[in-house]
Amino acid sequence: MFRRISNFAVACAMVLTLGLTTAFAATKTTTIRVTGMKCNQCSSSVAKALKATAGVQEAEVSFEKGQVVITYDDEKVTEAKLREVINSTGFKVAE
Amino acid sequence: MLRAAVFIFVVVVLSHSALGQGVKAPSLTLKSIEGRTVRLSDYRGQVVLINFWATWCPPCRAEMPDLVKLQREYGKDGLQIIGVTYLPERQAHVRRFTQRLKVNYPIVIGTRETKARFSPDETLPLTVIIDREGTIRGSIAGILLPEEFDLQIKPLLQQRASERETNHVQKNK
């Protein structure tokens, strides 16, 4: 009986670990420095354009720090694409 | 207590009426950068996008070529874009900039107050959508994305096109 329960527990743990690994494996967070973000009024376009990009889960813009923190699925979108999206909003990614 | 209730009431009323969805657009008469008088009422019957922008706003500058394309492509379907500068800018500067981009819709010199009459939103660019009956149907804060155009503006343009088709079919019967 004890053996059955322990086998079941091990199986559950394995399934759970596998599930969590799959769910989080592709999620990455990156911070990109952006030049020219001098007004709060216009920097919201950066977050908007990023959030509309497939694979982006979160994009938080700080015009005071001149940066954007992006959480994304790296199986769906690359960091190069994220930089391209930022540049398309009229601002420039700092090299 | 009464004061707080009145304040909340005023805020709620203002937030709904300061020109959100389903409200008649206020009258707008401004001078274009060519010195022409532009009245919003002149465009009744068309789907009007009032695009608030400024030369110092990078996303405003970035979206302008797309607005030029939309005006070119959907003008025949009744789309009319009007660009309104957000702050009083030097006309010569605005003129130089819009000439360089070959802007094909009127650009008028507005003020912060002009924008406030249409939306309390401080975001730039900001595009206010007005339907053919002159009713504000919403606003788009930030760069106008293609999917927003398809979802919010195209249906307004298609209304007249489908009406025209219906009339044509009825005439031919």
Side-chain angles (χ1 to χ4, degrees):
Chain A
M1 181 68 180
F2 176 75
R3 201 167 175 183
R4 265 194 188 170
I5 292 172
S6 65
N7 283 348
F8 180 71
V10 169
C12 282
M14 281 171 72
V15 168
L16 198 66
T17 310
L18 197 67
L20 287 174
T21 312
T22 312
F24 291 105
T27 302
K28 266 190 172 180
T29 298
T30 185
T31 300
I32 298 177
R33 293 197 60 245
V34 183
T35 58
M37 287 203 302
K38 288 179 183 139
C39 61
N40 197 19
Q41 295 156 307
C42 30
S43 40
S44 64
S45 281
V46 177
K48 182 181 174 180
L50 284 167
K51 284 175 185 171
T53 307
V56 173
Q57 289 154 6
E58 190 52 57
E60 206 175 302
V61 173
S62 166
F63 89 98
E64 294 98 341
K65 291 181 186 169
Q67 68 179 37
V68 53
V69 181
I70 311 158
T71 306
Y72 64 102
D73 182 339
D74 73 347
E75 283 177 0
K76 290 184 181 159
V77 65
T78 61
E79 192 166 327
K81 173 68 184 170
L82 299 176
R83 288 167 181 268
E84 199 181 292
V85 170
I86 294 169
N87 286 334
S88 76
T89 63
F91 298 104
K92 288 281 163 278
V93 169
E95 295 304 326
Chain B
M1 181 68 184
L2 182 67
R3 245 185 216 181
V6 170
F7 176 72
I8 290 167
F9 174 75
V10 169
V11 167
V12 169
V13 168
L14 280 179
S15 65
H16 280 81
S17 70
L19 302 168
Q21 251 172 296
V23 177
K24 280 279 168 204
S27 62
L28 177 75
T29 305
L30 290 168
K31 283 271 179 216
S32 77
I33 47 171
E34 289 90 18
R36 195 163 59 88
T37 302
V38 174
R39 289 182 194 86
L40 182 57
S41 57
D42 292 344
Y43 299 104
R44 183 65 65 90
Q46 289 181 274
V47 175
V48 178
L49 301 184
I50 302 184
N51 176 248
F52 292 97
W53 71 288
T55 54
W56 47 261
C57 158
C60 303
R61 295 196 303 262
E63 81 167 348
M64 270 183 129
D66 294 331
L67 295 179
V68 169
K69 269 187 213 158
L70 290 173
Q71 183 60 61
R72 192 185 306 130
E73 197 173 330
Y74 294 96
K76 62 182 184 314
D77 298 323
L79 178 73
Q80 182 58 60
I81 301 171
I82 302 173
V84 182
T85 58
Y86 176 57
L87 289 170
E89 295 200 72
R90 284 184 29 220
Q91 284 203 26
H93 187 202
V94 176
R95 201 179 298 125
R96 262 200 310 277
F97 177 77
T98 54
Q99 277 172 352
R100 201 171 63 233
L101 285 182
K102 296 190 170 74
V103 173
N104 54 357
Y105 53 84
I107 298 288
V108 297
I109 303 293
T111 60
R112 197 184 288 266
E113 289 70 35
T114 317
K115 186 167 177 277
R117 289 174 62 201
F118 285 86
S119 172
D121 196 329
E122 287 281 302
T123 307
L124 271 184
L126 184 97
T127 304
V128 178
I129 309 162
I130 301 169
D131 69 14
R132 296 181 194 272
E133 281 72 45
T135 304
I136 294 180
R137 298 294 288 261
S139 61
I140 293 167
I143 281 183
L144 173 61
L145 301 173
E147 46 270 41
E148 289 176 313
F149 184 83
D150 290 348
L151 201 70
Q152 297 185 53
I153 299 158
K154 254 190 187 172
L156 299 176
L157 292 167
Q158 282 161 354
Q159 266 174 16
R160 182 58 60 91
S162 61
E163 273 171 28
R164 244 189 271 136
E165 272 169 31
T166 312
N167 290 340
H168 183 72
V169 169
Q170 279 173 348
K171 269 184 192 171
N172 289 343
K173 269 187 182 174

Short mmCIF file of all heavy atoms in Angstrom, two decimals, chain B residues 70-98:
data_model
loop_
_atom_site.label_atom_id
_atom_site.label_comp_id
_atom_site.label_asym_id
_atom_site.label_seq_id
_atom_site.Cartn_x
_atom_site.Cartn_y
_atom_site.Cartn_z
N LEU B 70 -3.12 55.37 -45.35
CA LEU B 70 -4.54 55.10 -45.08
C LEU B 70 -5.42 56.11 -45.80
O LEU B 70 -6.45 55.76 -46.37
CB LEU B 70 -4.82 55.14 -43.57
CG LEU B 70 -4.23 54.00 -42.75
CD1 LEU B 70 -4.44 54.25 -41.26
CD2 LEU B 70 -4.87 52.66 -43.14
N GLN B 71 -5.01 57.38 -45.79
CA GLN B 71 -5.79 58.43 -46.46
C GLN B 71 -5.85 58.16 -47.97
O GLN B 71 -6.89 58.31 -48.59
CB GLN B 71 -5.18 59.81 -46.18
CG GLN B 71 -5.95 60.97 -46.78
CD GLN B 71 -7.38 61.07 -46.27
OE1 GLN B 71 -7.61 61.24 -45.07
NE2 GLN B 71 -8.35 60.91 -47.14
N ARG B 72 -4.70 57.72 -48.50
CA ARG B 72 -4.63 57.44 -49.94
C ARG B 72 -5.52 56.24 -50.29
O ARG B 72 -6.27 56.26 -51.25
CB ARG B 72 -3.17 57.14 -50.32
CG ARG B 72 -2.96 57.14 -51.84
CD ARG B 72 -1.55 56.73 -52.20
NE ARG B 72 -0.53 57.53 -51.52
CZ ARG B 72 0.50 57.01 -50.85
NH1 ARG B 72 0.67 55.71 -50.77
NH2 ARG B 72 1.39 57.79 -50.26
N GLU B 73 -5.46 55.21 -49.43
CA GLU B 73 -6.16 53.97 -49.73
C GLU B 73 -7.67 54.03 -49.46
O GLU B 73 -8.46 53.47 -50.20
CB GLU B 73 -5.53 52.85 -48.89
CG GLU B 73 -5.86 51.48 -49.39
CD GLU B 73 -5.08 50.40 -48.64
OE1 GLU B 73 -3.95 50.67 -48.19
OE2 GLU B 73 -5.63 49.31 -48.50
N TYR B 74 -8.05 54.72 -48.38
CA TYR B 74 -9.45 54.69 -47.97
C TYR B 74 -10.18 56.02 -48.17
O TYR B 74 -11.36 56.11 -47.82
CB TYR B 74 -9.55 54.25 -46.50
CG TYR B 74 -9.12 52.82 -46.29
CD1 TYR B 74 -7.82 52.52 -45.88
CD2 TYR B 74 -9.98 51.76 -46.55
CE1 TYR B 74 -7.41 51.22 -45.71
CE2 TYR B 74 -9.57 50.45 -46.39
CZ TYR B 74 -8.28 50.19 -45.97
OH TYR B 74 -7.88 48.89 -45.82
N GLY B 75 -9.52 56.99 -48.73
CA GLY B 75 -10.16 58.29 -48.99
C GLY B 75 -11.40 58.12 -49.85
O GLY B 75 -12.44 58.74 -49.59
N LYS B 76 -11.32 57.24 -50.83
CA LYS B 76 -12.46 57.01 -51.74
C LYS B 76 -13.65 56.37 -51.02
O LYS B 76 -14.79 56.46 -51.46
CB LYS B 76 -12.02 56.17 -52.94
CG LYS B 76 -11.53 54.78 -52.56
CD LYS B 76 -11.05 54.01 -53.76
CE LYS B 76 -10.66 52.58 -53.42
NZ LYS B 76 -9.82 52.36 -52.25
N ASP B 77 -13.37 55.72 -49.90
CA ASP B 77 -14.44 55.09 -49.12
C ASP B 77 -15.02 56.04 -48.06
O ASP B 77 -15.86 55.65 -47.27
CB ASP B 77 -13.91 53.82 -48.42
CG ASP B 77 -13.44 52.79 -49.41
OD1 ASP B 77 -14.09 52.66 -50.47
OD2 ASP B 77 -12.42 52.13 -49.15
N GLY B 78 -14.51 57.26 -48.05
CA GLY B 78 -15.05 58.24 -47.12
C GLY B 78 -14.20 58.49 -45.89
O GLY B 78 -14.68 59.06 -44.91
N LEU B 79 -12.95 58.10 -45.93
CA LEU B 79 -12.07 58.38 -44.77
C LEU B 79 -11.46 59.77 -44.92
O LEU B 79 -10.98 60.13 -46.00
CB LEU B 79 -10.95 57.34 -44.68
CG LEU B 79 -9.95 57.56 -43.54
CD1 LEU B 79 -10.58 57.23 -42.18
CD2 LEU B 79 -8.70 56.73 -43.71
N GLN B 80 -11.52 60.55 -43.86
CA GLN B 80 -10.86 61.85 -43.87
C GLN B 80 -10.07 62.04 -42.57
O GLN B 80 -10.64 62.05 -41.48
CB GLN B 80 -11.89 62.99 -44.01
CG GLN B 80 -11.25 64.36 -44.07
CD GLN B 80 -10.25 64.50 -45.22
OE1 GLN B 80 -10.61 64.35 -46.37
NE2 GLN B 80 -8.99 64.76 -44.91
N ILE B 81 -8.78 62.13 -42.72
CA ILE B 81 -7.92 62.36 -41.55
C ILE B 81 -7.68 63.86 -41.44
O ILE B 81 -7.50 64.54 -42.45
CB ILE B 81 -6.59 61.59 -41.68
CG1 ILE B 81 -6.85 60.08 -41.82
CG2 ILE B 81 -5.67 61.87 -40.48
CD1 ILE B 81 -5.63 59.24 -42.17
N ILE B 82 -7.70 64.36 -40.21
CA ILE B 82 -7.32 65.76 -39.96
C ILE B 82 -6.23 65.72 -38.88
O ILE B 82 -6.45 65.17 -37.80
CB ILE B 82 -8.52 66.61 -39.47
CG1 ILE B 82 -9.67 66.59 -40.49
CG2 ILE B 82 -8.09 68.05 -39.17
CD1 ILE B 82 -10.95 67.27 -39.99
N GLY B 83 -5.09 66.26 -39.19
CA GLY B 83 -4.01 66.32 -38.21
C GLY B 83 -4.09 67.62 -37.43
O GLY B 83 -4.19 68.69 -38.03
N VAL B 84 -4.09 67.51 -36.11
CA VAL B 84 -4.17 68.72 -35.27
C VAL B 84 -2.93 68.74 -34.38
O VAL B 84 -2.70 67.80 -33.61
CB VAL B 84 -5.44 68.72 -34.38
CG1 VAL B 84 -5.53 70.00 -33.56
CG2 VAL B 84 -6.70 68.54 -35.22
N THR B 85 -2.14 69.79 -34.50
CA THR B 85 -0.95 69.87 -33.64
C THR B 85 -1.41 70.11 -32.20
O THR B 85 -2.38 70.82 -31.95
CB THR B 85 0.01 70.98 -34.10
OG1 THR B 85 -0.70 72.21 -34.09
CG2 THR B 85 0.57 70.71 -35.47
N TYR B 86 -0.70 69.50 -31.29
CA TYR B 86 -1.12 69.50 -29.88
C TYR B 86 -0.84 70.84 -29.19
O TYR B 86 -1.67 71.38 -28.50
CB TYR B 86 -0.39 68.35 -29.19
CG TYR B 86 -0.62 68.25 -27.71
CD1 TYR B 86 -1.89 68.12 -27.18
CD2 TYR B 86 0.46 68.26 -26.83
CE1 TYR B 86 -2.10 68.00 -25.82
CE2 TYR B 86 0.26 68.12 -25.47
CZ TYR B 86 -1.01 68.00 -24.97
OH TYR B 86 -1.21 67.87 -23.63
N LEU B 87 0.34 71.33 -29.38
CA LEU B 87 0.70 72.61 -28.76
C LEU B 87 0.91 73.62 -29.88
O LEU B 87 1.22 73.24 -30.99
CB LEU B 87 1.99 72.47 -27.95
CG LEU B 87 1.88 71.65 -26.68
CD1 LEU B 87 3.25 71.37 -26.10
CD2 LEU B 87 1.02 72.35 -25.66
N PRO B 88 0.75 74.89 -29.59
CA PRO B 88 1.01 75.85 -30.66
C PRO B 88 2.47 75.74 -31.10
O PRO B 88 3.38 76.00 -30.32
CB PRO B 88 0.72 77.21 -30.02
CG PRO B 88 0.42 76.97 -28.61
CD PRO B 88 0.43 75.51 -28.33
N GLU B 89 2.65 75.24 -32.30
CA GLU B 89 4.02 75.06 -32.80
C GLU B 89 4.28 76.10 -33.89
O GLU B 89 3.35 76.68 -34.42
CB GLU B 89 4.17 73.66 -33.39
CG GLU B 89 4.03 72.58 -32.37
CD GLU B 89 4.65 71.29 -32.85
OE1 GLU B 89 5.88 71.21 -32.92
OE2 GLU B 89 3.90 70.37 -33.17
N ARG B 90 5.55 76.27 -34.22
CA ARG B 90 5.86 77.21 -35.29
C ARG B 90 5.38 76.63 -36.61
O ARG B 90 5.75 75.53 -36.99
CB ARG B 90 7.36 77.49 -35.30
CG ARG B 90 7.68 78.44 -34.15
CD ARG B 90 9.09 78.91 -34.06
NE ARG B 90 9.79 79.00 -35.31
CZ ARG B 90 11.07 78.65 -35.44
NH1 ARG B 90 11.72 78.18 -34.40
NH2 ARG B 90 11.68 78.79 -36.57
N GLN B 91 4.49 77.42 -37.27
CA GLN B 91 3.86 76.93 -38.50
C GLN B 91 4.89 76.52 -39.54
O GLN B 91 4.72 75.52 -40.22
CB GLN B 91 2.96 78.02 -39.08
CG GLN B 91 1.67 78.16 -38.32
CD GLN B 91 0.58 78.79 -39.18
OE1 GLN B 91 0.60 78.69 -40.40
NE2 GLN B 91 -0.36 79.45 -38.54
N ALA B 92 5.96 77.31 -39.64
CA ALA B 92 6.98 77.02 -40.66
C ALA B 92 7.60 75.65 -40.41
O ALA B 92 7.84 74.88 -41.34
CB ALA B 92 8.04 78.11 -40.63
N HIS B 93 7.83 75.34 -39.14
CA HIS B 93 8.42 74.06 -38.76
C HIS B 93 7.48 72.91 -39.13
O HIS B 93 7.89 71.90 -39.73
CB HIS B 93 8.70 74.08 -37.24
CG HIS B 93 9.46 72.88 -36.77
ND1 HIS B 93 9.43 72.47 -35.48
CD2 HIS B 93 10.23 72.00 -37.43
CE1 HIS B 93 10.17 71.38 -35.36
NE2 HIS B 93 10.67 71.09 -36.53
N VAL B 94 6.21 73.07 -38.78
CA VAL B 94 5.20 72.05 -39.08
C VAL B 94 5.07 71.88 -40.59
O VAL B 94 5.01 70.75 -41.09
CB VAL B 94 3.83 72.45 -38.45
CG1 VAL B 94 2.75 71.44 -38.85
CG2 VAL B 94 3.93 72.53 -36.94
N ARG B 95 5.04 73.00 -41.31
CA ARG B 95 4.89 72.96 -42.77
C ARG B 95 6.05 72.20 -43.42
O ARG B 95 5.85 71.35 -44.27
CB ARG B 95 4.80 74.39 -43.33
CG ARG B 95 4.15 74.42 -44.71
CD ARG B 95 4.04 75.82 -45.26
NE ARG B 95 3.20 76.67 -44.43
CZ ARG B 95 3.57 77.84 -43.90
NH1 ARG B 95 4.79 78.28 -44.10
NH2 ARG B 95 2.75 78.55 -43.17
N ARG B 96 7.27 72.52 -42.97
CA ARG B 96 8.45 71.85 -43.52
C ARG B 96 8.37 70.33 -43.31
O ARG B 96 8.61 69.55 -44.21
CB ARG B 96 9.72 72.37 -42.85
CG ARG B 96 10.45 73.46 -43.64
CD ARG B 96 11.89 73.60 -43.20
NE ARG B 96 12.08 73.72 -41.77
CZ ARG B 96 11.96 74.85 -41.08
NH1 ARG B 96 11.66 75.97 -41.71
NH2 ARG B 96 12.16 74.89 -39.79
N PHE B 97 7.98 69.98 -42.10
CA PHE B 97 7.91 68.57 -41.73
C PHE B 97 6.86 67.82 -42.56
O PHE B 97 7.11 66.75 -43.10
CB PHE B 97 7.58 68.45 -40.23
CG PHE B 97 7.42 67.05 -39.76
CD1 PHE B 97 8.54 66.25 -39.55
CD2 PHE B 97 6.17 66.51 -39.54
CE1 PHE B 97 8.40 64.94 -39.13
CE2 PHE B 97 6.03 65.19 -39.12
CZ PHE B 97 7.15 64.42 -38.92
N THR B 98 5.65 68.40 -42.68
CA THR B 98 4.57 67.72 -43.40
C THR B 98 4.82 67.69 -44.91
O THR B 98 4.41 66.76 -45.59
CB THR B 98 3.20 68.35 -43.10
OG1 THR B 98 3.28 69.75 -43.37
CG2 THR B 98 2.79 68.14 -41.67
#
